[in-house]
Amino acid sequence: MPDPVVVVIEDEPQIRKFLRATLEGQGYRLFEATTGADGVVEVSSRQPDVVIIDLGLPDMDGLDVIRRVREWTAVPVIVLSARGQERDKVTALDAGADDYMSKPFGAGELLARIRVALRHTAGASHEGDDAVFRVGELRVHLVRRQVFVGDKEMHLTPIEYKLLTTLVRHAGKVVTHQQLLREVWGPAHTEQAHYARVYMAHLRHKLEAEPARPRYLLTESGVGYRLAAE
Amino acid sequence: MPDPVVVVIEDEPQIRKFLRATLEGQGYRLFEATTGADGVVEVSSRQPDVVIIDLGLPDMDGLDVIRRVREWTAVPVIVLSARGQERDKVTALDAGADDYMSKPFGAGELLARIRVALRHTAGASHEGDDAVFRVGELRVHLVRRQVFVGDKEMHLTPIEYKLLTTLVRHAGKVVTHQQLLREVWGPAHTEQAHYARVYMAHLRHKLEAEPARPRYLLTESGVGYRLAAE
DNA sequence: GGACGTCTTGACGGGTCCTTAACGTCCCGG
DNA sequence: CCGGGACGTTAAGGACCCGTCAAGACGTCC
């Protein structure tokens, strides 16, 4: 395997320097970002094997960076944080982080946890982190959160977008009403099948040429919905 | 997904009790071992989704337990330890552990790290499962919930599909009327044998070239039905 | 405070699917 | 040759699911 690529998202120069010294000595290729927005861009362009992120960033909440990254890739994310409270750890891990280290931490432990992360990705073959889903005229750019029909960009509301990406993640397979409601509206709303109907109608009006006879957003009566795949 | 299975390898009764209370409250199925040797046996027999192991065991070194387990499975292993030295963490992680928590630790953080471990296995397992049944021109994609005759996809209603998959699950073997009715319509409808007749007719019209002389959906007169296998 | 975009909620019409019943067919024994 | 049982076929009714529209609630930004 070639040298593993690491993206570091960290604003404090001292820690950046420390990480650079630690990682480059071990043969990792390192790319740095000092803001959350830059971090998201770096992750999408460098396709790293591991991401290391400090939660205390100047421009946006580190948790949001993790959630954004998680929308299109399963790359291991290791969190560094000055805060060591349990609730901080839990929210970060549930937001999609794979590991959490409180400052101060040792170089050896960091390197060991990076090796663990690399073991994970080595086993799981790189499957679907394409970051862009296509079928027919429809394109969904997970990184930029943009949706196109042909050349025309379509504006989707937050729920519409989440509904669509949920279907994208299971493209070709049927997603039951329960699954859909749980993943989009949360576990408390698995009964309101009505929500899904209303929003599928919205999506179809925005994405389908003939909303009444959909080509992409298909209904499986009595079961759920399916997004057509190639 | 059914309730995740956890194997706990821990000799101290207090911590075992604590873990049991914490995990069973969250719907995990729990199996315990109090020695390293037992632990290895439990892991191989229970096929757990996560292993939690205390390094301070009476009979053998916890690290050896991890190495033994790693010889045949990639199941996530979370280490609990009274020792918090960096070198201990590094050796445990390099021995094959996926995570390391120093005592004392909070229940919330443990649960969060278990969720992380479960995320990993959930993503990894979805690779090679074809889960497609074939016989002659007939193909049943169980994962996608799609049925093809030759190249043509056939739309099945929920009951039709359930009936078909029930037969697929016992392909080649006779399924009695009672079995069929119980598995498709529920235990309350085991008397209405004509349900099966009506829906077998539907299925044959959709899937058979000559519904009157079926090649796949065969009748075993007086007993039940049978799906032909290769 | 008002305008706007978004989400929730209800009502209604149309369509799909399930149930049920009636009838047809085949086979076998009387 | 007749009759009955098991199975296959078809169609009608109604229950349920789904798509649609619109009104109201909610939050946000000017």
mmCIF file of all heavy atoms in Angstrom, chain A residues 45-79:
data_model
loop_
_atom_site.group_PDB
_atom_site.id
_atom_site.type_symbol
_atom_site.label_atom_id
_atom_site.label_comp_id
_atom_site.label_asym_id
_atom_site.label_seq_id
_atom_site.Cartn_x
_atom_site.Cartn_y
_atom_site.Cartn_z
ATOM 1 N N SER A 45 -11.446 16.473 -1.731
ATOM 2 C CA SER A 45 -10.491 16.504 -2.841
ATOM 3 C C SER A 45 -9.323 15.545 -2.630
ATOM 4 O O SER A 45 -8.839 14.943 -3.571
ATOM 5 C CB SER A 45 -9.959 17.922 -3.047
ATOM 6 O OG SER A 45 -9.275 18.361 -1.893
ATOM 7 N N ARG A 46 -8.903 15.351 -1.377
ATOM 8 C CA ARG A 46 -7.729 14.495 -1.135
ATOM 9 C C ARG A 46 -8.095 13.027 -0.977
ATOM 10 O O ARG A 46 -7.206 12.177 -1.027
ATOM 11 C CB ARG A 46 -6.988 14.960 0.128
ATOM 12 C CG ARG A 46 -6.572 16.427 0.125
ATOM 13 C CD ARG A 46 -5.552 16.707 -0.953
ATOM 14 N NE ARG A 46 -5.073 18.096 -0.864
ATOM 15 C CZ ARG A 46 -4.223 18.647 -1.718
ATOM 16 N NH1 ARG A 46 -3.757 17.938 -2.740
ATOM 17 N NH2 ARG A 46 -3.845 19.898 -1.579
ATOM 18 N N GLN A 47 -9.350 12.725 -0.716
ATOM 19 C CA GLN A 47 -9.754 11.335 -0.488
ATOM 20 C C GLN A 47 -8.841 10.637 0.518
ATOM 21 O O GLN A 47 -8.212 9.611 0.186
ATOM 22 C CB GLN A 47 -9.716 10.565 -1.806
ATOM 23 C CG GLN A 47 -10.520 11.225 -2.890
ATOM 24 C CD GLN A 47 -11.831 10.504 -3.145
ATOM 25 O OE1 GLN A 47 -12.485 10.011 -2.216
ATOM 26 N NE2 GLN A 47 -12.232 10.425 -4.381
ATOM 27 N N PRO A 48 -8.727 11.176 1.717
ATOM 28 C CA PRO A 48 -7.737 10.648 2.667
ATOM 29 C C PRO A 48 -8.146 9.274 3.216
ATOM 30 O O PRO A 48 -9.280 8.837 3.058
ATOM 31 C CB PRO A 48 -7.766 11.691 3.786
ATOM 32 C CG PRO A 48 -9.151 12.212 3.761
ATOM 33 C CD PRO A 48 -9.559 12.228 2.312
ATOM 34 N N ASP A 49 -7.162 8.642 3.863
ATOM 35 C CA ASP A 49 -7.434 7.374 4.537
ATOM 36 C C ASP A 49 -7.882 7.597 5.974
ATOM 37 O O ASP A 49 -8.520 6.733 6.561
ATOM 38 C CB ASP A 49 -6.169 6.505 4.521
ATOM 39 C CG ASP A 49 -5.720 6.214 3.097
ATOM 40 O OD1 ASP A 49 -6.419 5.469 2.399
ATOM 41 O OD2 ASP A 49 -4.678 6.768 2.679
ATOM 42 N N VAL A 50 -7.506 8.742 6.523
ATOM 43 C CA VAL A 50 -7.911 9.092 7.884
ATOM 44 C C VAL A 50 -8.095 10.600 7.964
ATOM 45 O O VAL A 50 -7.377 11.349 7.299
ATOM 46 C CB VAL A 50 -6.843 8.675 8.930
ATOM 47 C CG1 VAL A 50 -7.271 9.101 10.333
ATOM 48 C CG2 VAL A 50 -6.592 7.181 8.898
ATOM 49 N N VAL A 51 -9.049 11.033 8.775
ATOM 50 C CA VAL A 51 -9.237 12.455 9.043
ATOM 51 C C VAL A 51 -9.054 12.687 10.539
ATOM 52 O O VAL A 51 -9.607 11.941 11.352
ATOM 53 C CB VAL A 51 -10.638 12.937 8.625
ATOM 54 C CG1 VAL A 51 -10.865 14.385 9.019
ATOM 55 C CG2 VAL A 51 -10.841 12.744 7.125
ATOM 56 N N ILE A 52 -8.265 13.702 10.866
ATOM 57 C CA ILE A 52 -8.095 14.096 12.258
ATOM 58 C C ILE A 52 -8.649 15.499 12.399
ATOM 59 O O ILE A 52 -8.257 16.399 11.653
ATOM 60 C CB ILE A 52 -6.608 14.073 12.671
ATOM 61 C CG1 ILE A 52 -6.077 12.638 12.555
ATOM 62 C CG2 ILE A 52 -6.436 14.597 14.083
ATOM 63 C CD1 ILE A 52 -4.591 12.527 12.808
ATOM 64 N N ILE A 53 -9.560 15.687 13.331
ATOM 65 C CA ILE A 53 -10.216 16.990 13.427
ATOM 66 C C ILE A 53 -10.284 17.463 14.862
ATOM 67 O O ILE A 53 -10.589 16.685 15.784
ATOM 68 C CB ILE A 53 -11.638 16.927 12.823
ATOM 69 C CG1 ILE A 53 -12.329 18.292 12.942
ATOM 70 C CG2 ILE A 53 -12.464 15.829 13.473
ATOM 71 C CD1 ILE A 53 -13.626 18.377 12.192
ATOM 72 N N ASP A 54 -9.974 18.742 15.022
ATOM 73 C CA ASP A 54 -10.144 19.396 16.311
ATOM 74 C C ASP A 54 -11.546 19.986 16.357
ATOM 75 O O ASP A 54 -11.989 20.612 15.397
ATOM 76 C CB ASP A 54 -9.091 20.506 16.463
ATOM 77 C CG ASP A 54 -9.074 21.053 17.888
ATOM 78 O OD1 ASP A 54 -10.127 21.074 18.537
ATOM 79 O OD2 ASP A 54 -7.986 21.460 18.341
ATOM 80 N N LEU A 55 -12.230 19.779 17.469
ATOM 81 C CA LEU A 55 -13.611 20.275 17.525
ATOM 82 C C LEU A 55 -13.685 21.785 17.711
ATOM 83 O O LEU A 55 -14.685 22.406 17.379
ATOM 84 C CB LEU A 55 -14.375 19.582 18.658
ATOM 85 C CG LEU A 55 -14.804 18.130 18.369
ATOM 86 C CD1 LEU A 55 -15.819 17.684 19.404
ATOM 87 C CD2 LEU A 55 -15.382 18.002 16.976
ATOM 88 N N GLY A 56 -12.642 22.409 18.246
ATOM 89 C CA GLY A 56 -12.703 23.835 18.509
ATOM 90 C C GLY A 56 -12.224 24.663 17.331
ATOM 91 O O GLY A 56 -11.118 25.184 17.335
ATOM 92 N N LEU A 57 -13.049 24.784 16.329
ATOM 93 C CA LEU A 57 -12.656 25.510 15.123
ATOM 94 C C LEU A 57 -13.267 26.904 15.131
ATOM 95 O O LEU A 57 -14.301 27.133 15.752
ATOM 96 C CB LEU A 57 -13.115 24.755 13.875
ATOM 97 C CG LEU A 57 -12.422 23.409 13.661
ATOM 98 C CD1 LEU A 57 -13.095 22.640 12.552
ATOM 99 C CD2 LEU A 57 -10.954 23.613 13.341
ATOM 100 N N PRO A 58 -12.637 27.833 14.429
ATOM 101 C CA PRO A 58 -13.122 29.214 14.475
ATOM 102 C C PRO A 58 -14.423 29.442 13.707
ATOM 103 O O PRO A 58 -15.285 30.181 14.162
ATOM 104 C CB PRO A 58 -11.979 30.008 13.832
ATOM 105 C CG PRO A 58 -11.256 29.023 12.974
ATOM 106 C CD PRO A 58 -11.399 27.702 13.669
ATOM 107 N N ASP A 59 -14.565 28.789 12.551
ATOM 108 C CA ASP A 59 -15.684 29.197 11.690
ATOM 109 C C ASP A 59 -16.972 28.411 11.908
ATOM 110 O O ASP A 59 -18.055 28.935 11.854
ATOM 111 C CB ASP A 59 -15.275 29.106 10.213
ATOM 112 C CG ASP A 59 -14.904 27.682 9.822
ATOM 113 O OD1 ASP A 59 -14.420 26.940 10.686
ATOM 114 O OD2 ASP A 59 -15.114 27.316 8.655
ATOM 115 N N MET A 60 -16.869 27.104 12.133
ATOM 116 C CA MET A 60 -18.098 26.336 12.310
ATOM 117 C C MET A 60 -17.882 25.236 13.326
ATOM 118 O O MET A 60 -16.752 24.901 13.671
ATOM 119 C CB MET A 60 -18.576 25.754 10.977
ATOM 120 C CG MET A 60 -17.587 24.809 10.308
ATOM 121 S SD MET A 60 -18.041 24.410 8.589
ATOM 122 C CE MET A 60 -19.335 23.218 8.830
ATOM 123 N N ASP A 61 -18.972 24.684 13.797
ATOM 124 C CA ASP A 61 -18.894 23.632 14.800
ATOM 125 C C ASP A 61 -18.254 22.388 14.181
ATOM 126 O O ASP A 61 -18.638 21.950 13.101
ATOM 127 C CB ASP A 61 -20.300 23.317 15.300
ATOM 128 C CG ASP A 61 -20.264 22.361 16.485
ATOM 129 O OD1 ASP A 61 -19.164 21.866 16.804
ATOM 130 O OD2 ASP A 61 -21.316 22.128 17.085
ATOM 131 N N GLY A 62 -17.274 21.832 14.879
ATOM 132 C CA GLY A 62 -16.625 20.632 14.373
ATOM 133 C C GLY A 62 -17.598 19.486 14.150
ATOM 134 O O GLY A 62 -17.417 18.677 13.242
ATOM 135 N N LEU A 63 -18.625 19.424 14.966
ATOM 136 C CA LEU A 63 -19.610 18.357 14.802
ATOM 137 C C LEU A 63 -20.289 18.454 13.444
ATOM 138 O O LEU A 63 -20.562 17.440 12.799
ATOM 139 C CB LEU A 63 -20.663 18.439 15.914
ATOM 140 C CG LEU A 63 -20.141 18.156 17.321
ATOM 141 C CD1 LEU A 63 -21.263 18.356 18.343
ATOM 142 C CD2 LEU A 63 -19.604 16.736 17.413
ATOM 143 N N ASP A 64 -20.560 19.685 13.007
ATOM 144 C CA ASP A 64 -21.183 19.853 11.699
ATOM 145 C C ASP A 64 -20.254 19.410 10.581
ATOM 146 O O ASP A 64 -20.697 18.880 9.566
ATOM 147 C CB ASP A 64 -21.608 21.311 11.498
ATOM 148 C CG ASP A 64 -22.830 21.658 12.329
ATOM 149 O OD1 ASP A 64 -23.618 20.732 12.608
ATOM 150 O OD2 ASP A 64 -22.987 22.829 12.707
ATOM 151 N N VAL A 65 -18.956 19.655 10.788
ATOM 152 C CA VAL A 65 -17.990 19.187 9.789
ATOM 153 C C VAL A 65 -18.085 17.665 9.665
ATOM 154 O O VAL A 65 -18.135 17.116 8.563
ATOM 155 C CB VAL A 65 -16.557 19.593 10.180
ATOM 156 C CG1 VAL A 65 -15.550 19.027 9.186
ATOM 157 C CG2 VAL A 65 -16.451 21.109 10.268
ATOM 158 N N ILE A 66 -18.129 17.000 10.810
ATOM 159 C CA ILE A 66 -18.223 15.538 10.781
ATOM 160 C C ILE A 66 -19.494 15.099 10.068
ATOM 161 O O ILE A 66 -19.476 14.216 9.214
ATOM 162 C CB ILE A 66 -18.201 14.978 12.222
ATOM 163 C CG1 ILE A 66 -16.870 15.319 12.891
ATOM 164 C CG2 ILE A 66 -18.414 13.472 12.213
ATOM 165 C CD1 ILE A 66 -16.820 14.959 14.364
ATOM 166 N N ARG A 67 -20.596 15.740 10.403
ATOM 167 C CA ARG A 67 -21.870 15.328 9.787
ATOM 168 C C ARG A 67 -21.830 15.564 8.280
ATOM 169 O O ARG A 67 -22.321 14.728 7.510
ATOM 170 C CB ARG A 67 -23.026 16.127 10.414
ATOM 171 C CG ARG A 67 -23.253 15.775 11.869
ATOM 172 C CD ARG A 67 -24.586 16.311 12.386
ATOM 173 N NE ARG A 67 -24.658 16.175 13.838
ATOM 174 C CZ ARG A 67 -24.361 17.152 14.693
ATOM 175 N NH1 ARG A 67 -23.996 18.345 14.237
ATOM 176 N NH2 ARG A 67 -24.436 16.947 16.000
ATOM 177 N N ARG A 68 -21.260 16.682 7.877
ATOM 178 C CA ARG A 68 -21.153 16.950 6.438
ATOM 179 C C ARG A 68 -20.339 15.870 5.748
ATOM 180 O O ARG A 68 -20.718 15.342 4.698
ATOM 181 C CB ARG A 68 -20.496 18.322 6.196
ATOM 182 C CG ARG A 68 -21.387 19.507 6.483
ATOM 183 C CD ARG A 68 -22.439 19.669 5.406
ATOM 184 N NE ARG A 68 -21.883 19.906 4.092
ATOM 185 C CZ ARG A 68 -21.473 21.091 3.639
ATOM 186 N NH1 ARG A 68 -21.573 22.145 4.427
ATOM 187 N NH2 ARG A 68 -20.986 21.223 2.426
ATOM 188 N N VAL A 69 -19.194 15.551 6.338
ATOM 189 C CA VAL A 69 -18.321 14.527 5.750
ATOM 190 C C VAL A 69 -19.043 13.184 5.682
ATOM 191 O O VAL A 69 -18.954 12.457 4.694
ATOM 192 C CB VAL A 69 -17.026 14.414 6.574
ATOM 193 C CG1 VAL A 69 -16.258 13.157 6.213
ATOM 194 C CG2 VAL A 69 -16.153 15.646 6.355
ATOM 195 N N ARG A 70 -19.788 12.893 6.707
ATOM 196 C CA ARG A 70 -20.487 11.603 6.777
ATOM 197 C C ARG A 70 -21.601 11.470 5.742
ATOM 198 O O ARG A 70 -22.135 10.386 5.524
ATOM 199 C CB ARG A 70 -21.081 11.408 8.159
ATOM 200 C CG ARG A 70 -20.148 10.774 9.138
ATOM 201 C CD ARG A 70 -19.883 9.297 8.820
ATOM 202 N NE ARG A 70 -18.786 8.798 9.623
ATOM 203 C CZ ARG A 70 -17.508 8.867 9.256
ATOM 204 N NH1 ARG A 70 -17.179 9.402 8.079
ATOM 205 N NH2 ARG A 70 -16.558 8.404 10.027
ATOM 206 N N GLU A 71 -21.954 12.572 5.115
ATOM 207 C CA GLU A 71 -23.018 12.490 4.124
ATOM 208 C C GLU A 71 -22.577 11.727 2.883
ATOM 209 O O GLU A 71 -23.401 11.275 2.113
ATOM 210 C CB GLU A 71 -23.491 13.900 3.732
ATOM 211 C CG GLU A 71 -24.292 14.569 4.842
ATOM 212 C CD GLU A 71 -24.686 15.991 4.473
ATOM 213 O OE1 GLU A 71 -24.439 16.391 3.321
ATOM 214 O OE2 GLU A 71 -25.230 16.697 5.339
ATOM 215 N N TRP A 72 -21.279 11.645 2.659
ATOM 216 C CA TRP A 72 -20.885 10.959 1.436
ATOM 217 C C TRP A 72 -19.742 9.976 1.615
ATOM 218 O O TRP A 72 -19.420 9.246 0.696
ATOM 219 C CB TRP A 72 -20.530 11.971 0.345
ATOM 220 C CG TRP A 72 -19.143 12.511 0.419
ATOM 221 C CD1 TRP A 72 -18.043 11.974 -0.176
ATOM 222 C CD2 TRP A 72 -18.692 13.679 1.101
ATOM 223 N NE1 TRP A 72 -16.944 12.729 0.123
ATOM 224 C CE2 TRP A 72 -17.307 13.783 0.894
ATOM 225 C CE3 TRP A 72 -19.324 14.649 1.894
ATOM 226 C CZ2 TRP A 72 -16.549 14.815 1.436
ATOM 227 C CZ3 TRP A 72 -18.572 15.672 2.411
ATOM 228 C CH2 TRP A 72 -17.204 15.743 2.181
ATOM 229 N N THR A 73 -19.088 9.930 2.783
ATOM 230 C CA THR A 73 -17.965 9.010 2.909
ATOM 231 C C THR A 73 -17.899 8.387 4.290
ATOM 232 O O THR A 73 -18.368 8.969 5.277
ATOM 233 C CB THR A 73 -16.633 9.712 2.604
ATOM 234 O OG1 THR A 73 -15.564 8.802 2.837
ATOM 235 C CG2 THR A 73 -16.456 10.925 3.480
ATOM 236 N N ALA A 74 -17.302 7.214 4.352
ATOM 237 C CA ALA A 74 -17.165 6.506 5.617
ATOM 238 C C ALA A 74 -15.725 6.578 6.129
ATOM 239 O O ALA A 74 -15.335 5.792 6.977
ATOM 240 C CB ALA A 74 -17.587 5.047 5.457
ATOM 241 N N VAL A 75 -14.941 7.513 5.602
ATOM 242 C CA VAL A 75 -13.545 7.639 6.021
ATOM 243 C C VAL A 75 -13.456 7.773 7.549
ATOM 244 O O VAL A 75 -14.269 8.454 8.161
ATOM 245 C CB VAL A 75 -12.899 8.866 5.336
ATOM 246 C CG1 VAL A 75 -13.609 10.148 5.709
ATOM 247 C CG2 VAL A 75 -11.422 8.961 5.699
ATOM 248 N N PRO A 76 -12.491 7.077 8.174
ATOM 249 C CA PRO A 76 -12.375 7.170 9.635
ATOM 250 C C PRO A 76 -12.061 8.589 10.092
ATOM 251 O O PRO A 76 -11.193 9.247 9.513
ATOM 252 C CB PRO A 76 -11.190 6.238 9.946
ATOM 253 C CG PRO A 76 -11.098 5.316 8.795
ATOM 254 C CD PRO A 76 -11.554 6.092 7.600
ATOM 255 N N VAL A 77 -12.772 9.037 11.100
ATOM 256 C CA VAL A 77 -12.581 10.383 11.650
ATOM 257 C C VAL A 77 -12.180 10.261 13.113
ATOM 258 O O VAL A 77 -12.890 9.644 13.912
ATOM 259 C CB VAL A 77 -13.874 11.214 11.532
ATOM 260 C CG1 VAL A 77 -13.731 12.533 12.278
ATOM 261 C CG2 VAL A 77 -14.228 11.462 10.076
ATOM 262 N N ILE A 78 -11.026 10.827 13.440
ATOM 263 C CA ILE A 78 -10.551 10.837 14.828
ATOM 264 C C ILE A 78 -10.656 12.257 15.356
ATOM 265 O O ILE A 78 -10.132 13.185 14.746
ATOM 266 C CB ILE A 78 -9.088 10.348 14.917
ATOM 267 C CG1 ILE A 78 -8.990 8.906 14.400
ATOM 268 C CG2 ILE A 78 -8.581 10.446 16.351
ATOM 269 C CD1 ILE A 78 -7.576 8.364 14.362
ATOM 270 N N VAL A 79 -11.337 12.402 16.476
ATOM 271 C CA VAL A 79 -11.584 13.719 17.042
ATOM 272 C C VAL A 79 -10.542 14.042 18.102
ATOM 273 O O VAL A 79 -10.234 13.193 18.950
ATOM 274 C CB VAL A 79 -12.998 13.780 17.655
ATOM 275 C CG1 VAL A 79 -13.154 15.005 18.539
ATOM 276 C CG2 VAL A 79 -14.048 13.780 16.557
#
